Amino acid sequence: MEPYNHIASNLSNVVPDVTFMAQRFHNRCLVYDEENEELLLALRYIHIVFASLSIIGASSTIIYSIIKGVVTSEEVRPLFHLSLADLGLAICWVIGAAVWNDDKDDSEGCVYLQAITEAFHVSTFFLTVNYSLNVYVRIKDRQNRAMKLSTLMSSIKMKWGLRMVYVLSWLLPIIIMIPIVYYHETVDLLKCYR
């Protein structure tokens, strides 16, 4: 057991104390001086600008898909759902940046906004995976058609499987966030971060 203590003591001399560094950095973030206020204000405007660009991009995809009537098309459906989730996420970012203040007042609405924002984050991740899965199935179907084999999308199980991925992509993030919000309401220990 003693050789391990020797290795641990040598390692502590070589590697700096990470917890001390993290605590020092965390305390630096909690100090509200003029430099930090200017940085937070700049970050607020950056969030608003880029979230607004995301709103414009996602909205244009959604509006174009609805106007052209291709929302139910198997080629457009993954991108449409991804655009919906991205639009919701960008709206949450704009709202969060607009009400972002520098005091330590943890309002009740901030926790709910964070839960909704994280639900949209997780949804966009799942819908991105869904989009790549759909692209893979389309490419595989093209190869199978070229070789005169049966296509994957001709299978009822595959169609229902892809539809279940959409349902899970939207419902799973909500189900994940419900315990977090419930925990906040019962224990009230969660802090709102900005």
Side-chain angles (χ1 to χ4, degrees):
M1 195 62 134
E2 193 164 309
Y4 294 115
N5 291 337
H6 177 68
I7 293 171
S9 66
N10 285 341
L11 187 62
S12 66
N13 292 335
V14 175
V15 178
D17 188 4
V18 176
T19 57
F20 173 73
M21 288 174 37
Q23 184 66 30
R24 199 173 89 203
F25 178 74
H26 180 68
N27 288 340
R28 168 87 170 104
C29 291
L30 292 178
V31 176
Y32 293 103
D33 58 0
E34 288 182 24
E35 182 181 324
N36 280 346
E37 285 182 25
E38 290 175 5
L39 178 66
L40 291 175
L41 186 63
L43 286 174
R44 174 195 236 173
Y45 289 125
I46 290 170
H47 277 132
I48 290 174
V49 167
F50 284 103
S52 299
L53 291 174
S54 186
I55 288 172
I56 292 168
S59 297
S60 65
T61 303
I62 293 168
I63 291 169
Y64 182 81
S65 299
I66 292 172
I67 288 173
K68 291 296 182 178
V70 293
V71 174
T72 58
S73 166
E74 292 179 357
E75 291 84 13
V76 177
R77 188 181 306 128
L79 185 60
F80 180 78
H81 282 267
L82 185 57
S83 295
L84 281 175
D86 187 41
L87 178 65
L89 180 61
I91 289 171
C92 287
W93 279 347
V94 167
I95 292 170
V99 298
W100 193 355
N101 53 12
D102 297 336
D103 59 0
K104 293 184 180 185
D105 180 18
D106 292 328
S107 64
E108 196 66 28
C110 182
V111 172
Y112 297 118
L113 179 64
Q114 282 182 344
I116 293 168
T117 303
E118 289 305 316
F120 278 120
H121 269 126
V122 176
S123 284
T124 55
F125 171 75
F126 286 143
L127 289 166
T128 302
V129 171
N130 179 31
Y131 185 77
S132 63
L133 179 65
N134 274 281
V135 169
Y136 172 76
V137 168
R138 300 269 170 247
I139 291 172
K140 200 68 171 156
D141 278 351
R142 276 192 188 162
Q143 287 178 344
N144 289 347
R145 266 189 241 115
M147 299 164 92
K148 299 191 190 266
L149 299 172
S150 65
T151 61
L152 295 173
M153 288 306 290
S154 62
S155 167
I156 298 293
K157 289 180 182 179
M158 179 61 80
K159 286 183 181 180
W160 278 102
L162 287 175
R163 288 180 183 161
M164 287 307 298
V165 172
Y166 286 113
V167 171
L168 289 175
S169 296
W170 286 107
L171 289 182
L172 195 60
I174 295 170
I175 292 169
I176 291 171
M177 289 300 140
I178 288 174
I180 294 171
V181 172
Y182 176 76
Y183 180 75
H184 170 72
E185 288 179 356
T186 57
V187 180
D188 198 29
L189 289 177
L190 295 176
K191 298 295 181 199
C192 198
Y193 67 89
R194 295 182 173 87

